[in-house]
Amino acid sequence: MSAGRTSPVSQLSQRAMDAAAAPIRFLMQPRDLEHPDACDFMAGNPQELALPEYVAALQAAIVPTSPAYFQYGPPPRRSVERAAEALGARLGLRLQPDDVFLTRGAASGLGTAMSTILDPGDEVIFLSPPWFFYETMIVARGAKAVRVPLTRPGFDVDVSAVQAAITARTRAMIVNTPNNPTGRVYTADNLRALAEVLTAASTRNGRPIYLLSDEAYARILFDGRRMITPGLFYQATFIIHTYSKTLLAPSQRLGYMALAPGMPEAESVRAHIWRNSMLGGGFPDTGMARALPALEDLIIDMPAIERRRDRVVDALRAMGYELNSPEGTFYVLVRSPIPDSGEFCARLAAQRVYALAGEAFEMPGWFRLSLTATDAMVDRSLPVFAAAIAEVGVPVVPAGT
Ligand code: PMP
């Protein structure tokens, strides 16, 4: 679509809308979620009541203790200090509170970082399959989104392909680990090799290529894995975190963004992030910001999510589905038994089992299941998955073979 002289919206907004069209189309498909048999595997959304400790922390944080409580101003220092200390300890970095900025979740951190560093015409590399909103966020800033495929079947960063995609206009690259949708947790070797390429290219270009490290799932890890931030190897990194996954209450917006130690010209970058946060709506509401120290110690029931991963993976494999078992994140990627995964998801949806078709995230022929569905939804959906694959004639292999 195009936005002409008579269009109510800018050309940039229209281009950003076009870039979001596929995910929006699939995410917004009608679902009968009120029905008691609905099985919602569509997105990383809560299907059960939030943690009671989470609710108590929010209740406590919203009660004003001074007339200044709701004044204009930056988030409270105590919360920023706690964020810096907790994030630094988890990632193995020495983070100064001045380098940590509270945000309204990861999307807000990514947006604030992009507004700070991108000019129209700049190029931003992202890895495919991606989180489905990277491209629209890049395009919305007038920059060009440059897609580099991940390796197959391992879904690692293809460092030589990144190297080949870099030009004199490359301003930034987005890396997401643990990765949505692949569930891959990148290794230190992979990230170190990437850092070497970016360092050499930044020198060649005479300006840094920034790394936007989307670490939204930093604590959603299985099998005792640890996540490694590329900020350990590359100084021009914006480290982006959120509570949306850890606490599974994503409509209450809270996260933070940190500048990796050694960020070039950090003083200027900090000042600009401040302005962009203040006036671009990036800082969280004070209730969320003040709750942060209490929230930092909480996490959803990860052993339950891991058990659900094992159950879904084992059961679908036994039915004959080919799939990718995640190392982290909420997502299981499953190959559609028919080439048109949109059509296959429509067949599941007719039985009130809702999955996200790969057309939404540049992986046609696959679909994504979120492990945030309840165990009861898994119980109800398994016969539907079994019938759907049997209908297209894939032989059912007995479990354990
Ligand atoms: N990045 C990734 C990889 C995500 O999966 C999501 C949410 N699904 C986000 C960013 C946005 O997170 P938030 O809700 O904190 O803005």
Side-chain angles (χ1 to χ4, degrees), residues 115-179:
S115 299
T116 304
I117 59 173
L118 293 183
D119 276 317
D122 281 344
E123 293 176 7
V124 181
I125 294 175
F126 72 101
L127 302 170
S128 177
W131 179 49
F132 35 66
F133 289 140
Y134 290 143
E135 188 179 357
T136 187
M137 293 187 78
I138 296 166
V139 169
R141 271 114 191 139
K144 183 175 164 203
V146 177
R147 171 181 291 99
V148 171
L150 292 165
T151 63
R152 297 288 184 96
F155 298 120
D156 284 317
V157 182
D158 186 337
V159 177
S160 340
V162 171
Q163 187 164 24
I166 293 174
T167 73
R169 311 198 76 157
T170 307
R171 183 53 155 167
M173 169 170 179
I174 306 175
V175 163
N176 166 222
T177 184
N179 188 271

Side-chain angles (χ1 to χ4, degrees), residues 64-304:
T65 52
S66 78
Y69 207 78
F70 294 116
Q71 278 185 358
Y72 284 120
R77 185 76 181 169
R78 193 167 86 84
S79 297
V80 177
E81 284 171 357
R82 178 74 184 111
E85 170 198 306
L87 187 64
R90 238 182 280 126
L91 299 181
L93 288 171
R94 287 173 78 84
L95 295 176
Q96 303 304 323
D98 285 347
D99 285 331
V100 175
F101 302 85
L102 301 198
T103 65
R104 304 177 70 84
S108 142
L110 285 163
T112 302
M114 288 186 195
S115 299
T116 304
I117 59 173
L118 293 183
D119 276 317
D122 281 344
E123 293 176 7
V124 181
I125 294 175
F126 72 101
L127 302 170
S128 177
W131 179 49
F132 35 66
F133 289 140
Y134 290 143
E135 188 179 357
T136 187
M137 293 187 78
I138 296 166
V139 169
R141 271 114 191 139
K144 183 175 164 203
V146 177
R147 171 181 291 99
V148 171
L150 292 165
T151 63
R152 297 288 184 96
F155 298 120
D156 284 317
V157 182
D158 186 337
V159 177
S160 340
V162 171
Q163 187 164 24
I166 293 174
T167 73
R169 311 198 76 157
T170 307
R171 183 53 155 167
M173 169 170 179
I174 306 175
V175 163
N176 166 222
T177 184
N179 188 271
N180 172 12
T182 69
R184 180 76 168 130
V185 181
Y186 298 138
T187 62
D189 284 350
N190 199 203
L191 294 172
R192 210 181 280 114
L194 176 67
E196 280 166 19
V197 162
L198 294 178
T199 303
S202 299
T203 307
R204 247 187 352 261
N205 283 357
R207 64 174 194 171
I209 296 174
Y210 294 103
L211 197 57
L212 307 187
S213 182
D214 179 350
E215 303 178 6
Y217 298 88
R219 297 182 67 189
I220 311 297
L221 293 162
F222 303 128
D223 312 311
R225 280 198 171 69
R226 283 197 56 218
M227 88 134 255
I228 292 160
T229 177
L232 284 170
F233 313 118
Y234 193 65
Q235 296 181 332
T237 301
F238 292 81
I239 297 169
I240 292 155
H241 279 239
T242 176
Y243 290 87
S244 299
K245 315 298 169 187
T246 316
L247 299 174
L248 208 47
S251 59
Q252 285 289 342
R253 311 293 296 151
L254 185 65
Y256 37 76
M257 168 165 67
L259 306 184
M263 167 68 75
E265 301 197 48
E267 202 172 321
S268 170
V269 174
R270 274 186 218 117
H272 283 260
I273 292 178
W274 262 93
R275 196 210 67 88
N276 287 324
S277 296
M278 234 17 180
L279 297 171
F283 284 140
D285 294 341
T286 201
M288 291 306 287
R290 287 175 191 271
L292 188 147
L295 301 183
E296 190 50 50
D297 299 327
L298 300 177
I299 181 160
I300 52 168
D301 186 352
M302 278 306 296

